[in-house]
Amino acid sequence: QVQLVESGGGLVQPGGSLRLSCTASGSFFRLNAVAWFRQAPGKQRELVAGITSGGITNYLSDSVKGRFTISRDNAKNTVYLQMNSLNPEDTAVYYCNAAISILSGTARDYWGQGTQVTVSS
């Protein structure tokens, strides 16, 4: 009943930038905590960044924190991941994960379809 849609991935050269978007659509829902995950070929999915309903953020590592910024626009039910100074190690499928409650019920996890980010010269 609630759909989570991602956009903004693509091919970029090292040092370039991308802005990922995660938008929830539907009726009578509340978008709570949201996180971005990524999964590179042959590796487990890992947490990249997260943001609470109150705007508190956390990041995977110092290198990611210095280059990536997670933010949200509650009026648009959208969470963004701004990625700067990209390097080949950032190449992965990026997934949006959100805790969503419907009709004031208990929140449960929703996953986006994933968007491919490829950093290559």
Side-chain angles (χ1 to χ4, degrees), residues 3-8 18-25 29-37 48-59 69-83 94-100 115:
Q3 188 175 14
L4 208 58
V5 179
E6 300 169 334
S7 62
L18 287 173
R19 186 196 191 201
L20 306 183
S21 299
C22 174
T23 301
S25 61
F29 71 92
R30 175 181 172 84
L31 186 62
N32 301 304
V34 180
W36 285 97
F37 289 77
V48 177
I51 185 168
T52 70
S53 60
I56 301 174
T57 61
N58 63 81
Y59 298 89
T69 302
I70 187 171
S71 61
R72 66 189 297 158
D73 186 337
N74 290 332
K76 298 180 179 179
N77 289 316
T78 298
V79 174
Y80 304 97
L81 184 66
Q82 178 67 47
M83 305 186 296
Y94 284 70
Y95 298 90
C96 180
N97 178 57
I100 298 176
T115 183

Side-chain angles (χ1 to χ4, degrees), residues 36-40 43-49 60 89:
W36 285 97
F37 289 77
R38 69 183 181 186
Q39 187 168 21
K43 297 184 179 296
Q44 291 185 317
R45 189 173 299 183
E46 64 179 359
L47 175 68
V48 177
L60 171 66
E89 289 187 336

